[in-house]
Amino acid sequence: MNVKDFYFELPQELIAQDPLEDRAASRLLVMSKETGEIEHRTFRNITEYLRPGDCLVINDTKVIPARLFGIKEDTGAKIEVLLLKRREKDIWETLVKPGKKSRPGATLVFGEGLLKGTVLEVVEEGNRLIQFQYKGIFEEVLDQLGQMPLPPYITHQLQDKNRYQTVYARQAGSAAAPTAGLHFTQELLKQIEEMGVKVARVTLHVGLGTFRPVKVDNVLDHHMHSEFYEVSEEEAKKINQTKALGGRVICVGTTSCRTLESATGEDGILKAGSGWTEIFIYPGYRFKILDGLLTNFHLPESTLVMLVSALAGREQVLHAYEEAIGERYRFFSFGDAMFIY
């Protein structure tokens, strides 16, 4: 299976640079995974495709202001640090630019000394382990100094930091937002629950893989980065009960999907717990628990397009993308949504 099989031509102007004022006003492409039939709706219409007894699974991770700008203490050279994942309390795996100037032992200074970091070692793919020193609470210092790590294809400055968070974000730890969830408002979620649809929360902290393109020709040669996930006993029970009673499990975003598929056994039972997942879902994969997926429109040749193709078929997905481009849908993080059922 070649990466080029998942290529499509995307006009630059369809990459959404700013979020809509009204989260739920995005467009919604609805597609049957069985027939490939397509409808064009508005995101608020999602309620028409949900049924009492279904379970909507959301990822409650919260994006941290993970991008830091500082200097090297000895030379004053400018550096940029992106926090990827916490290894221990104050030790983080990071992406540093320029990396060559940040060798083990180097001290990095942020906010005129409010935060300092010592490079401990260079790890996989040139990432740096950095131990931070500060006074007070790390999250508060980070909130003061850090910037939201918007994807490289978004060039506009974000006016309101909360617009790169879902309204249900709780568990801090992501380097990128689970963007399918950005379309929900509290009112819409309340309306969905009042319909008799359960809402289950899981956590997957989105990491470096979001920013890294697939660099191999053969899909099978690609290695996913590990990301931390957590499923509580209560939420696992809610999801398993849905399946037992004949309801559908509908994941909001590829991150919720990957969490559930990682934590579900071959018997189709979701197990509570936490851990690291490197699950890579591409055509040929047999879903163990997921029935439907609500997702955004993804980059050409990305692992996310491959995941969506595993659910609905590559040709059907590429046809839907072609139609979305023809209809001038907005793509990527701040773009429109797609519901596959």
Side-chain angles (χ1 to χ4, degrees), residues 1-64:
M1 198 182 312
N2 199 290
V3 172
K4 287 186 171 46
D5 294 339
F6 300 90
Y7 179 77
F8 57 91
E9 195 82 42
L10 180 69
Q12 197 74 14
E13 68 271 16
L14 295 186
I15 299 173
Q17 292 296 325
D18 303 288
L20 295 182
E21 198 170 319
D22 175 2
R23 287 176 182 261
S26 298
R27 295 167 77 189
L28 179 68
L29 186 148
V30 181
M31 185 174 83
S32 161
K33 62 178 189 276
E34 304 303 331
T35 66
E37 188 183 339
I38 289 170
E39 296 175 75
H40 299 288
R41 307 299 304 275
T42 299
F43 192 80
R44 275 193 179 80
N45 300 132
I46 188 65
T47 52
E48 297 175 30
Y49 299 91
L50 301 175
R51 304 194 285 258
D54 286 344
C55 184
L56 199 64
V57 184
I58 58 179
N59 180 7
D60 67 0
T61 188
K62 189 173 186 179
V63 186
I64 56 174

Side-chain angles (χ1 to χ4, degrees), residues 57-61 166 168 178 200 202-206 252 255-256 259:
V57 184
I58 58 179
N59 180 7
D60 67 0
T61 188
T166 62
Y168 46 77
V202 298
T203 305
L204 181 137
H205 292 318
V206 189
V252 176
T255 59
S256 301
T259 302

